[in-house]
Amino acid sequence: MQSPGLTYFPKTFRNKAILAFFVALLACTGLFFSRSLPLQWMVFAIIILVGFFMFFSSFSKNWSVLGVKTFSRKLFAFALFIRLVWIVFSYFFYMQMTGNPFEYDAGDSIMYHNAAISVLLHGYNNLGSGLWGLGLSDSGFPFYLSLIYFVFGDHVIIPRLLNALMGAWTVVLVYRLAGRNFGEAAGRLAGIMMMLMPNLIYYCGIHLKETLMVFLLVAFMERADLLLRRKIRVADLFVVAALGAAMFFFRTVLLASMLFALFSMVLFIRRPGASWLQRSIIGLWVVITVWFTFSYRIQAEFEYLLDNIDAQEANMEFKAKREGGNRLATYGSSVVFAPAMFVAPFPTFVNISTQQTQMMLSGGYFVKNVLAFFVVISLISFIRKRQLRKYILILSFLLAYLAILAQSSFALSERFHLPALPFLIILAAYGITRVNFKNQRFYIPYLALMVLVVIAWNVFKLAGRGGI
């Protein structure tokens, strides 16, 4: 399917997004001058946002004439280059700023690093002790790191260089998935946005599981989408099942959302030559494979989730009362968070001393806020054309994962929004191709609304900490 409309990101959209960013940043700086964003993070935010929209507009237009193979090669090469540059820069940047090659407040990163070394010391026949009793959904990454350390030594730069490869390949997979569903123009837009997306680039340079986890997720979704579009092969079934099973060792709720998406596609998509019996057999085969391998563990993990049904309320209470916390956090709930799931998180344009990373990535947050406008356009298009069933794999995953996230204690955590980001980018890309004279008139009012929301968000952050 080839989508009509725009095949690139116009300069007029780019310029308005950049203008809205500066209005929000300057407004927060003027209103809260004594708590304004530190200069170094202000520079980061400007480079991140202006760089994204300038290059997105340029590449999406100039690369639209390239052949498919040439485009794929360029996409992978540029994505890899950008990530390698960031990895090298961030390594020395963190060495200078924190005294070690880990990011600010690198509790989880250092834990994974030390757990991987512990595995090597205890040996692979004693994983329980080596992994310090980490839960199964948190054991995959330190085990993966231990294999790298076993081969290359415990040099932190090596896993990050591998992150660059996985991140670049994820970009190509998103291009393929988007192109297969929404046409070549949307696929290219999605690929370029993935290549340039600041938040995804950032995680390549640190010792967290997000880059590998997103790669596994996108690979699963891309293979699952292809699985039901061509003649079924046993090898394809095993690949999809293996990718799904691997996710259990990274984040349980992602596995649940992935399986929900797969079964939704199996049951509802209309595939020529595929009977209800065939679709049911495929679905049962995948679930039986995963369940047979991890049945006891899956039950244990889901029982843990059920036992912590009040986790959101308790966590909001903790965030309100801890040192440096926001006393207004107690007002957070799934009712408040749910409407913001496609747009959140929002940028921190004020100085919060305990949130260095949030300030550094504030430009990336605003990029996502802008792209949410085009996500809404795509969703409206699906509803009007009654195409929800046609794109059920992507939509059902987003619905399941974001619904779970909205009810969790991480509803506004950028790190936990990251798995949804590739699929929101795909919808944004399709939304851009659906822009017309009728719906583009809402772009400026939307940006104005985002500026007000961002200012209100920063007021909330300061007020809750007694800064106003």
Side-chain angles (χ1 to χ4, degrees):
M1 180 195 73
Q2 182 66 43
S3 301
L6 294 175
T7 58
Y8 65 94
F9 195 69
K11 289 182 179 180
T12 179
F13 279 29
R14 175 198 74 189
N15 294 340
K16 290 170 184 175
I18 293 173
L19 177 61
F21 163 77
F22 277 108
V23 170
L25 179 60
L26 292 174
C28 290
T29 302
L31 289 171
F32 319 113
F33 188 76
S34 63
R35 295 289 299 272
S36 60
L37 197 64
L39 181 60
Q40 66 185 28
W41 302 138
M42 197 175 291
V43 171
F44 263 79
I46 293 171
I47 292 174
I48 285 173
L49 183 126
V50 174
F52 175 88
F53 282 111
M54 293 294 291
F55 284 114
F56 179 38
S57 179
S58 175
F59 286 151
S60 62
K61 186 171 185 178
N62 295 335
W63 289 9
S64 63
V65 297
L66 299 177
V68 171
K69 290 184 178 180
T70 302
F71 177 83
S72 296
R73 287 195 296 267
K74 276 184 172 287
L75 190 67
F76 179 81
F78 273 72
L80 180 61
F81 174 74
I82 292 168
R83 282 153 178 77
L84 289 174
V85 169
W86 167 250
I87 287 166
V88 174
F89 170 80
S90 64
Y91 180 90
F92 292 104
F93 177 77
Y94 286 130
M95 286 292 292
Q96 178 67 30
M97 301 301 292
T98 70
N100 60 62
F102 294 96
E103 71 277 12
Y104 294 93
D105 300 318
D108 284 353
S109 291
I110 294 173
M111 181 271 291
Y112 286 137
H113 172 69
N114 290 335
I117 294 173
S118 175
V119 169
L120 295 181
L121 293 175
H122 285 82
Y124 288 99
N125 60 342
N126 195 14
L127 277 176
S129 297
L131 289 170
W132 303 332
L134 287 172
L136 285 165
S137 62
D138 216 18
S139 63
F141 189 63
F143 178 79
Y144 160 80
L145 281 180
S146 73
L147 297 176
I148 298 174
Y149 290 169
F150 178 78
V151 177
F152 298 102
D154 58 350
H155 308 292
V156 297
I157 196 71
I158 302 299
R160 298 177 189 183
L161 295 176
L162 294 176
N163 279 348
L165 284 170
M166 283 186 292
W169 188 240
T170 303
V171 170
V172 176
L173 291 176
V174 165
Y175 159 59
R176 292 178 180 176
L177 179 60
R180 193 182 303 135
N181 281 271
F182 301 109
E184 183 67 17
R188 294 189 178 202
L189 288 169
I192 293 169
M193 279 191 280
M194 280 289 294
M195 177 183 76
L196 297 171
M197 194 66 197
N199 306 58
L200 293 168
I201 296 168
Y202 165 77
Y203 281 96
C204 290
I206 60 177
H207 254 53
L208 290 176
K209 61 185 176 182
E210 269 62 29
T211 298
L212 175 55
M213 187 171 66
V214 170
F215 169 74
L216 292 173
L217 168 62
V218 172
F220 173 91
M221 297 289 279
E222 194 273 337
R223 290 292 93 185
D225 179 75
L226 185 62
L227 176 68
L228 294 177
R229 290 176 182 271
R230 66 183 186 186
K231 186 177 179 180
I232 303 300
R233 297 184 300 188
V234 174
D236 293 334
L237 288 171
F238 273 109
V239 169
V240 171
L243 289 168
M247 186 57 68
F248 178 70
F249 296 99
F250 289 84
R251 190 166 293 163
T252 306
V253 294
L254 269 180
L255 172 62
S257 303
M258 289 158 57
L259 291 177
F260 177 75
L262 178 60
F263 298 148
S264 297
M265 186 176 184
V266 166
L267 293 176
F268 294 111
I269 197 168
R270 291 171 178 168
R271 178 175 173 268
S275 66
W276 272 86
L277 179 61
Q278 282 180 292
R279 296 198 296 268
S280 299
I281 289 173
I282 295 168
L284 285 173
W285 190 92
V286 175
V287 74
I288 288 171
T289 300
V290 175
W291 188 269
F292 179 78
T293 308
F294 304 114
S295 57
Y296 171 75
R297 297 172 182 177
I298 284 179
Q299 290 177 48
E301 288 290 321
F302 276 93
E303 285 172 8
Y304 174 80
L305 290 177
L306 292 174
D307 289 342
N308 287 274
I309 195 167
D310 295 324
Q312 185 179 79
E313 182 179 349
N315 192 266
M316 292 300 105
E317 187 75 17
F318 166 73
K319 289 179 178 179
K321 294 182 177 180
R322 68 182 176 181
E323 184 179 355
N326 189 328
R327 65 173 182 266
L328 300 181
T330 52
Y331 295 102
S333 69
S334 56
V335 175
V336 176
F337 297 145
M341 286 297 99
F342 287 104
V343 185
F346 302 104
T348 299
F349 285 155
V350 291
N351 187 3
I352 307 294
S353 59
T354 57
Q355 298 184 353
Q356 301 294 327
T357 298
Q358 288 91 327
M359 291 189 288
M360 182 172 71
L361 290 177
S362 57
Y365 292 10
F366 199 85
V367 167
K368 187 189 176 189
N369 300 157
V370 172
L371 295 181
F373 173 78
F374 302 101
V375 174
V376 172
I377 289 180
S378 67
L379 294 176
I380 292 173
S381 176
F382 298 153
I383 294 170
R384 285 181 174 175
K385 296 187 174 184
R386 299 181 180 179
Q387 293 180 323
L388 294 174
R389 174 183 289 194
K390 189 173 183 180
Y391 308 115
I392 192 67
L393 181 70
I394 293 172
L395 295 176
S396 58
F397 168 77
L398 281 174
L399 174 65
Y401 184 68
L402 293 179
I404 294 170
L405 194 59
Q407 300 177 68
S408 77
S409 55
F410 306 104
L412 296 181
S413 170
E414 182 268 342
R415 182 176 167 188
F416 283 82
H417 275 265
L418 204 71
L421 188 54
F423 307 100
L424 292 173
I425 284 175
I426 290 174
L427 296 185
Y430 179 64
I432 292 171
T433 68
R434 304 302 305 177
V435 168
N436 54 42
F437 179 78
K438 188 175 181 180
N439 56 35
Q440 70 177 348
R441 63 185 179 180
F442 297 108
Y443 185 57
I444 293 178
Y446 174 81
L447 292 178
L449 176 62
M450 277 301 100
V451 169
L452 295 176
V453 169
V454 168
I455 294 172
W457 171 249
N458 284 273
V459 169
F460 170 81
K461 298 198 80 166
L462 288 178
R465 293 173 171 84
I468 294 180

